[in-house]
Amino acid sequence: FISASTFHGDGSGLTGVGGTAITGAFTANYNVLSTYDVMTINTSGSVVTASLLAANSYSTGQRLVFKDVGGSGSTNNVVIKPSGSQTIDSGTSLKIQINYGAVSIVSDGASTFHIIGVN
């Protein structure tokens, strides 16, 4: 647990904070690894499905951000699918259906995911 009102330095000595921001865009279906944080998805060629691991594979409160950078989300959706019978805010999947849309979700660390932001 880290708590501070200010921080000085570049943070290079910190470990276990955040995840891996993905700089290259996914263009095909993929599994969302527990080390991922921000994922860019190029929907210009087809629908792309991001398959989540079981919610307990992620830390409690771990944020996952999905962004359509291809600008074709209204035609080629980004589909986010939880593992097995798990849900995202009680739904069996979540879709980005607008061009350049984005969504942020968090894991409860046990059995479900929650939407915390959309754009």
Side-chain angles (χ1 to χ4, degrees):
F1 178 74
I2 297 173
S3 176
S5 59
T6 62
F7 177 79
H8 301 280
D10 65 4
S12 61
L14 296 175
T15 59
V17 179
T20 303
I22 305 302
T23 55
F26 289 98
T27 58
N29 298 344
Y30 68 98
N31 293 322
V32 180
L33 302 182
S34 61
T35 56
Y36 291 177
D37 183 16
V38 178
M39 291 153 278
T40 57
I41 302 150
N42 187 335
T43 57
S44 63
S46 66
V47 170
V48 177
T49 298
S51 297
L52 298 168
L53 305 175
N56 65 2
S57 298
Y58 305 97
S59 301
T60 301
Q62 182 174 346
R63 175 192 68 166
L64 299 167
V65 179
F66 303 86
K67 169 67 177 166
D68 167 28
V69 295
S72 299
S74 64
T75 304
N76 295 324
N77 303 156
V78 173
V79 180
I80 304 161
K81 292 192 58 84
S83 178
S85 62
Q86 294 186 348
T87 61
I88 303 171
D89 278 354
S90 77
T92 57
S93 69
L94 175 62
K95 295 180 181 180
I96 297 174
Q97 299 178 334
I98 60 171
N99 297 341
Y100 300 104
V103 66
S104 300
I105 64 173
V106 294
S107 171
D108 72 351
S111 61
T112 193
F113 297 88
H114 302 286
I115 300 167
I116 58 170
V118 295
N119 182 10

